[in-house]
Amino acid sequence: MPDVGEIHFLPKLAARLAKHAPSCNLRCEQIANDQMEAARSSGQVHLALGYFPNLEAPGLLRRPLFMHSLVCLVRADHPIVKSSSVSLPTFLQLSHAVVHSVGRSNELFETLLKKQGLRRRIQLLSSHFLSVPAIIAATDLIVTVPRSIAEYYARLEKLRMVEPTINIRPYPIQQFWQMGFADDPALKWLRETTASLFVEK
């Protein structure tokens, strides 16, 4: 899973493992999209969690967990964005922070902007999500991130969520595994545990 996925998945998952499988060791890796297929087929990865739209292969199994969406963040006392919405012209005129990470959710938004011929100023381009809340809280930048991450960041700093003016369809977060691992008892338990924690009711 990418680093942004860890923020969403690991607190609940690690707590469940600590309670019900205290001898279990969990290793999370962030693997580039073009290396994911090789890592999966070689057995380096037993379970992938996240948004991987291009992960298609014979013998690959998947289970949908939930639908995710994107939302914008600004600092609570932003001088221009003063509510939970912003007009498209204002949105495009603002200075943006963009996280260009291994994950694919950011590509959804960038692709949508390109298709609609929309351009905005990217004042800050980063490869990391860790610094985002502190940066947004200290500047007039706006950033677009997955909603659950925005909710988490808003608890860390004085930030406000703003609904994007561009219609971004929710996207599926799934778990993927190789058919060869389907009957492994430990991995089956891990998949079922993950599903019990994150599948939308």
Side-chain angles (χ1 to χ4, degrees):
M1 67 181 82
D3 62 340
V4 68
E6 289 191 1
I7 296 174
H8 184 86
F9 284 110
L10 283 190
K12 284 184 180 180
L13 188 54
R16 179 67 63 90
L17 292 179
K19 183 176 181 181
H20 296 285
S23 297
C24 175
N25 299 320
L26 190 64
R27 186 180 76 226
C28 295
E29 294 190 17
Q30 182 169 270
I31 297 173
N33 296 314
D34 60 353
Q35 299 171 9
M36 177 62 77
E37 174 58 27
R40 181 196 58 76
S41 59
S42 69
Q44 178 186 351
V45 172
H46 294 128
L47 183 67
L49 298 175
Y51 175 63
F52 301 104
N54 298 328
L55 198 53
E56 299 279 354
L60 179 66
L61 304 175
R62 70 182 68 209
R63 181 173 183 179
L65 298 175
F66 55 90
M67 298 299 289
H68 219 346
S69 60
L70 300 177
V71 69
C72 301
L73 278 176
V74 295
R75 63 185 173 98
D77 57 348
H78 196 282
I80 298 173
V81 183
K82 298 182 181 294
S83 70
S84 60
S85 62
V86 61
S87 69
L88 180 58
T90 300
F91 176 79
L92 295 176
Q93 289 169 7
L94 292 169
S95 294
H96 292 249
V98 173
V99 180
H100 184 69
S101 71
V102 171
R104 298 298 299 270
S105 60
N106 60 312
E107 292 181 18
L108 282 173
F109 188 59
E110 299 306 316
T111 301
L112 185 58
L113 287 174
K114 220 175 258 187
K115 280 183 179 177
Q116 297 187 13
L118 301 175
R119 302 182 67 178
R120 85 267 200 227
R121 180 191 176 198
I122 299 176
Q123 186 172 349
L124 175 65
L125 181 64
S126 174
S127 299
H128 308 286
F129 279 95
L130 181 62
S131 58
V132 166
I135 292 169
I136 298 303
T139 68
D140 292 339
L141 294 171
I142 186 170
V143 67
T144 304
V145 295
R147 187 174 297 272
S148 65
I149 306 308
E151 292 169 351
Y152 173 74
Y153 287 165
R155 295 194 295 268
L156 298 179
E157 300 279 358
K158 293 180 179 179
L159 305 176
R160 187 171 65 255
M161 289 193 292
V162 179
E163 294 301 323
T165 58
I166 302 164
N167 183 24
I168 310 167
R169 292 181 179 177
Y171 54 94
I173 301 298
Q174 304 180 83
Q175 56 177 346
F176 301 82
W177 66 96
Q178 186 70 19
M179 188 179 291
F181 300 132
D183 296 325
D184 182 289
L187 297 175
K188 185 176 181 181
W189 180 86
L190 180 60
R191 294 193 304 269
E192 291 173 351
T193 298
T194 302
S196 72
L197 290 171
F198 298 104
V199 167
E200 287 181 330
K201 308 301 183 191

